[in-house]
mmCIF file of all heavy atoms in Angstrom:
data_model
loop_
_atom_site.group_PDB
_atom_site.id
_atom_site.type_symbol
_atom_site.label_atom_id
_atom_site.label_comp_id
_atom_site.label_asym_id
_atom_site.label_seq_id
_atom_site.Cartn_x
_atom_site.Cartn_y
_atom_site.Cartn_z
ATOM 1 N N ARG J 409 69.161 68.137 -23.701
ATOM 2 C CA ARG J 409 69.281 66.778 -24.223
ATOM 3 C C ARG J 409 68.578 65.774 -23.338
ATOM 4 O O ARG J 409 67.913 64.867 -23.817
ATOM 5 C CB ARG J 409 70.755 66.418 -24.331
ATOM 6 C CG ARG J 409 71.003 65.042 -24.915
ATOM 7 C CD ARG J 409 72.431 64.607 -24.766
ATOM 8 N NE ARG J 409 73.342 65.617 -25.259
ATOM 9 C CZ ARG J 409 74.310 66.152 -24.550
ATOM 10 N NH1 ARG J 409 74.514 65.798 -23.326
ATOM 11 N NH2 ARG J 409 75.106 67.078 -25.076
ATOM 12 N N THR J 443 71.057 41.207 -20.378
ATOM 13 C CA THR J 443 72.458 41.232 -19.952
ATOM 14 C C THR J 443 72.987 42.631 -19.821
ATOM 15 O O THR J 443 73.739 42.933 -18.904
ATOM 16 C CB THR J 443 73.324 40.496 -20.996
ATOM 17 O OG1 THR J 443 72.643 39.354 -21.433
ATOM 18 C CG2 THR J 443 74.670 40.146 -20.418
ATOM 19 N N ASN J 495 62.108 61.992 -38.962
ATOM 20 C CA ASN J 495 60.659 62.200 -39.094
ATOM 21 C C ASN J 495 59.924 61.149 -39.898
ATOM 22 O O ASN J 495 58.889 60.664 -39.455
ATOM 23 C CB ASN J 495 60.385 63.578 -39.668
ATOM 24 C CG ASN J 495 60.636 64.638 -38.650
ATOM 25 O OD1 ASN J 495 60.361 64.430 -37.484
ATOM 26 N ND2 ASN J 495 61.187 65.751 -39.055
ATOM 27 N N GLU J 498 59.604 58.080 -37.761
ATOM 28 C CA GLU J 498 58.828 58.188 -36.531
ATOM 29 C C GLU J 498 57.362 57.900 -36.761
ATOM 30 O O GLU J 498 56.673 57.391 -35.891
ATOM 31 C CB GLU J 498 58.997 59.579 -35.938
ATOM 32 C CG GLU J 498 58.268 59.680 -34.623
ATOM 33 C CD GLU J 498 58.689 60.862 -33.818
ATOM 34 O OE1 GLU J 498 59.424 61.697 -34.368
ATOM 35 O OE2 GLU J 498 58.273 60.941 -32.666
ATOM 36 N N SER J 507 50.053 54.600 -21.651
ATOM 37 C CA SER J 507 50.732 55.450 -20.668
ATOM 38 C C SER J 507 51.135 56.753 -21.300
ATOM 39 O O SER J 507 51.299 56.835 -22.502
ATOM 40 C CB SER J 507 51.958 54.734 -20.135
ATOM 41 O OG SER J 507 53.019 54.909 -21.058
ATOM 42 N N SER J 538 81.434 55.278 -34.058
ATOM 43 C CA SER J 538 80.304 54.525 -33.535
ATOM 44 C C SER J 538 79.205 54.340 -34.586
ATOM 45 O O SER J 538 78.327 53.518 -34.438
ATOM 46 C CB SER J 538 79.707 55.241 -32.331
ATOM 47 O OG SER J 538 79.216 56.504 -32.750
ATOM 48 N N HIS J 542 72.294 60.659 -32.037
ATOM 49 C CA HIS J 542 71.112 60.690 -31.194
ATOM 50 C C HIS J 542 70.491 62.067 -31.252
ATOM 51 O O HIS J 542 71.124 63.045 -31.614
ATOM 52 C CB HIS J 542 71.477 60.317 -29.732
ATOM 53 C CG HIS J 542 72.523 61.194 -29.140
ATOM 54 N ND1 HIS J 542 73.861 60.924 -29.234
ATOM 55 C CD2 HIS J 542 72.439 62.312 -28.405
ATOM 56 C CE1 HIS J 542 74.533 61.855 -28.614
ATOM 57 N NE2 HIS J 542 73.711 62.709 -28.102
ATOM 58 N N SER J 543 69.221 62.103 -30.914
ATOM 59 C CA SER J 543 68.478 63.352 -30.945
ATOM 60 C C SER J 543 68.011 63.656 -29.527
ATOM 61 O O SER J 543 67.506 62.771 -28.844
ATOM 62 C CB SER J 543 67.264 63.212 -31.876
ATOM 63 O OG SER J 543 66.513 64.385 -31.877
ATOM 64 N N GLN J 582 74.223 56.037 -25.411
ATOM 65 C CA GLN J 582 73.182 57.012 -25.745
ATOM 66 C C GLN J 582 72.143 57.094 -24.627
ATOM 67 O O GLN J 582 71.673 58.180 -24.271
ATOM 68 C CB GLN J 582 72.495 56.637 -27.054
ATOM 69 C CG GLN J 582 73.372 56.821 -28.258
ATOM 70 C CD GLN J 582 72.693 56.369 -29.536
ATOM 71 O OE1 GLN J 582 71.743 55.587 -29.491
ATOM 72 N NE2 GLN J 582 73.164 56.854 -30.649
ATOM 73 N N SER J 634 51.702 77.591 -8.183
ATOM 74 C CA SER J 634 50.888 78.131 -9.266
ATOM 75 C C SER J 634 49.464 77.635 -9.165
ATOM 76 O O SER J 634 48.510 78.343 -9.520
ATOM 77 C CB SER J 634 51.486 77.797 -10.624
ATOM 78 O OG SER J 634 51.467 76.420 -10.840
ATOM 79 N N GLU J 689 51.301 66.778 -9.203
ATOM 80 C CA GLU J 689 50.808 66.629 -10.587
ATOM 81 C C GLU J 689 49.379 66.138 -10.568
ATOM 82 O O GLU J 689 48.556 66.599 -11.363
ATOM 83 C CB GLU J 689 51.666 65.621 -11.351
ATOM 84 C CG GLU J 689 53.116 65.994 -11.502
ATOM 85 C CD GLU J 689 53.385 66.843 -12.715
ATOM 86 O OE1 GLU J 689 52.888 66.508 -13.792
ATOM 87 O OE2 GLU J 689 54.064 67.867 -12.572
ATOM 88 N N PHE J 692 47.244 69.118 -9.698
ATOM 89 C CA PHE J 692 47.145 70.153 -10.719
ATOM 90 C C PHE J 692 46.355 69.699 -11.918
ATOM 91 O O PHE J 692 45.571 70.451 -12.494
ATOM 92 C CB PHE J 692 48.564 70.546 -11.165
ATOM 93 C CG PHE J 692 48.635 71.810 -11.982
ATOM 94 C CD1 PHE J 692 48.825 73.032 -11.380
ATOM 95 C CD2 PHE J 692 48.503 71.754 -13.350
ATOM 96 C CE1 PHE J 692 48.902 74.195 -12.137
ATOM 97 C CE2 PHE J 692 48.567 72.908 -14.118
ATOM 98 C CZ PHE J 692 48.761 74.122 -13.501
ATOM 99 N N PRO J 695 40.924 66.362 -13.444
ATOM 100 C CA PRO J 695 39.962 66.815 -14.467
ATOM 101 C C PRO J 695 38.865 67.726 -13.938
ATOM 102 O O PRO J 695 38.219 68.412 -14.714
ATOM 103 C CB PRO J 695 39.362 65.512 -14.987
ATOM 104 C CG PRO J 695 40.329 64.468 -14.632
ATOM 105 C CD PRO J 695 41.001 64.903 -13.385
ATOM 106 N N ARG P 225 40.551 71.194 -22.119
ATOM 107 C CA ARG P 225 41.179 70.075 -21.433
ATOM 108 C C ARG P 225 42.444 69.642 -22.175
ATOM 109 O O ARG P 225 43.444 69.290 -21.557
ATOM 110 C CB ARG P 225 40.218 68.895 -21.335
ATOM 111 C CG ARG P 225 39.204 69.049 -20.225
ATOM 112 C CD ARG P 225 38.483 67.749 -19.956
ATOM 113 N NE ARG P 225 37.330 67.933 -19.127
ATOM 114 C CZ ARG P 225 37.352 68.090 -17.806
ATOM 115 N NH1 ARG P 225 38.511 68.064 -17.189
ATOM 116 N NH2 ARG P 225 36.251 68.250 -17.133
ATOM 117 N N ARG P 230 44.194 68.575 -18.475
ATOM 118 C CA ARG P 230 43.356 68.023 -17.416
ATOM 119 C C ARG P 230 42.364 67.030 -18.010
ATOM 120 O O ARG P 230 41.164 67.184 -17.908
ATOM 121 C CB ARG P 230 42.590 69.155 -16.728
ATOM 122 C CG ARG P 230 43.510 70.085 -16.024
ATOM 123 C CD ARG P 230 42.834 70.764 -14.892
ATOM 124 N NE ARG P 230 43.807 71.472 -14.139
ATOM 125 C CZ ARG P 230 44.055 72.760 -14.262
ATOM 126 N NH1 ARG P 230 43.371 73.468 -15.125
ATOM 127 N NH2 ARG P 230 44.983 73.333 -13.527
ATOM 128 N N ARG P 237 46.638 58.064 -25.582
ATOM 129 C CA ARG P 237 47.767 58.918 -25.835
ATOM 130 C C ARG P 237 47.541 59.836 -27.033
ATOM 131 O O ARG P 237 48.000 60.964 -27.075
ATOM 132 C CB ARG P 237 48.974 58.022 -26.121
ATOM 133 C CG ARG P 237 50.244 58.583 -25.710
ATOM 134 C CD ARG P 237 51.341 57.656 -26.111
ATOM 135 N NE ARG P 237 52.583 58.365 -25.997
ATOM 136 C CZ ARG P 237 53.494 58.166 -25.059
ATOM 137 N NH1 ARG P 237 53.305 57.220 -24.186
ATOM 138 N NH2 ARG P 237 54.580 58.885 -25.017
ATOM 139 N N ASP P 245 58.597 71.354 -21.723
ATOM 140 C CA ASP P 245 59.039 72.738 -21.754
ATOM 141 C C ASP P 245 59.910 73.043 -22.959
ATOM 142 O O ASP P 245 60.364 74.161 -23.119
ATOM 143 C CB ASP P 245 59.799 73.068 -20.457
ATOM 144 C CG ASP P 245 61.061 72.255 -20.331
ATOM 145 O OD1 ASP P 245 61.007 71.063 -20.673
ATOM 146 O OD2 ASP P 245 62.063 72.788 -19.880
ATOM 147 N N GLN P 284 52.385 78.249 -16.852
ATOM 148 C CA GLN P 284 52.722 77.955 -15.482
ATOM 149 C C GLN P 284 53.287 76.551 -15.352
ATOM 150 O O GLN P 284 54.184 76.297 -14.557
ATOM 151 C CB GLN P 284 51.477 78.046 -14.589
ATOM 152 C CG GLN P 284 50.974 79.428 -14.352
ATOM 153 C CD GLN P 284 51.853 80.179 -13.383
ATOM 154 O OE1 GLN P 284 52.474 79.569 -12.516
ATOM 155 N NE2 GLN P 284 51.924 81.468 -13.556
ATOM 156 N N LYS P 285 52.766 75.654 -16.141
ATOM 157 C CA LYS P 285 53.212 74.281 -16.043
ATOM 158 C C LYS P 285 54.300 73.971 -17.083
ATOM 159 O O LYS P 285 54.649 72.822 -17.278
ATOM 160 C CB LYS P 285 51.990 73.374 -16.254
ATOM 161 C CG LYS P 285 52.040 72.035 -15.575
ATOM 162 C CD LYS P 285 52.273 72.176 -14.108
ATOM 163 C CE LYS P 285 52.609 70.843 -13.481
ATOM 164 N NZ LYS P 285 53.978 70.420 -13.693
ATOM 165 N N SER P 398 59.163 69.849 -38.291
ATOM 166 C CA SER P 398 59.732 69.211 -37.112
ATOM 167 C C SER P 398 61.159 68.851 -37.438
ATOM 168 O O SER P 398 61.440 67.713 -37.773
ATOM 169 C CB SER P 398 58.889 67.995 -36.781
ATOM 170 O OG SER P 398 59.497 67.261 -35.763
ATOM 171 N N ARG P 400 64.582 67.998 -36.346
ATOM 172 C CA ARG P 400 65.151 67.525 -35.106
ATOM 173 C C ARG P 400 66.584 68.025 -34.942
ATOM 174 O O ARG P 400 67.327 68.121 -35.909
ATOM 175 C CB ARG P 400 65.197 66.009 -35.130
ATOM 176 C CG ARG P 400 63.854 65.411 -35.285
ATOM 177 C CD ARG P 400 63.237 65.248 -33.997
ATOM 178 N NE ARG P 400 61.969 64.598 -34.073
ATOM 179 C CZ ARG P 400 61.238 64.342 -32.999
ATOM 180 N NH1 ARG P 400 61.699 64.657 -31.834
ATOM 181 N NH2 ARG P 400 60.089 63.748 -33.111
ATOM 182 N N LYS P 401 66.939 68.269 -33.705
ATOM 183 C CA LYS P 401 68.354 68.521 -33.399
ATOM 184 C C LYS P 401 69.033 67.159 -33.307
ATOM 185 O O LYS P 401 68.466 66.208 -32.801
ATOM 186 C CB LYS P 401 68.494 69.211 -32.055
ATOM 187 C CG LYS P 401 67.626 70.391 -31.872
ATOM 188 C CD LYS P 401 68.295 71.597 -32.479
ATOM 189 C CE LYS P 401 67.564 72.860 -32.113
ATOM 190 N NZ LYS P 401 66.221 72.915 -32.579
ATOM 191 N N GLU P 403 72.785 65.014 -32.567
ATOM 192 C CA GLU P 403 74.172 65.032 -32.111
ATOM 193 C C GLU P 403 74.804 63.716 -32.473
ATOM 194 O O GLU P 403 74.164 62.678 -32.352
ATOM 195 C CB GLU P 403 74.231 65.154 -30.599
ATOM 196 C CG GLU P 403 73.952 66.521 -30.066
ATOM 197 C CD GLU P 403 74.062 66.514 -28.558
ATOM 198 O OE1 GLU P 403 73.627 65.538 -27.928
ATOM 199 O OE2 GLU P 403 74.593 67.494 -28.024
ATOM 200 N N THR P 405 76.972 60.557 -31.813
ATOM 201 C CA THR P 405 77.363 59.826 -30.600
ATOM 202 C C THR P 405 78.835 59.536 -30.685
ATOM 203 O O THR P 405 79.298 58.798 -31.554
ATOM 204 C CB THR P 405 76.590 58.501 -30.524
ATOM 205 O OG1 THR P 405 75.211 58.782 -30.671
ATOM 206 C CG2 THR P 405 76.837 57.834 -29.196
ATOM 207 N N LYS P 416 73.296 36.515 -21.671
ATOM 208 C CA LYS P 416 72.607 35.478 -20.907
ATOM 209 C C LYS P 416 71.437 34.991 -21.728
ATOM 210 O O LYS P 416 70.725 35.755 -22.322
ATOM 211 C CB LYS P 416 72.052 36.074 -19.614
ATOM 212 C CG LYS P 416 73.073 36.325 -18.558
ATOM 213 C CD LYS P 416 72.380 36.838 -17.309
ATOM 214 C CE LYS P 416 72.869 38.234 -17.025
ATOM 215 N NZ LYS P 416 72.258 38.853 -15.923
#
Side-chain angles (χ1 to χ4, degrees):
Chain J
R409 182 191 309 124
T443 319
N495 286 324
E498 183 164 8
S507 81
S538 63
H542 57 272
S543 179
Q582 289 177 339
S634 66
E689 299 272 313
F692 193 91
Chain P
R225 281 193 193 282
R230 295 206 171 97
R237 211 184 166 107
D245 64 320
Q284 288 286 330
K285 208 56 192 79
S398 172
R400 300 273 184 179
K401 310 276 190 298
E403 284 181 321
T405 308
K416 284 183 243 177

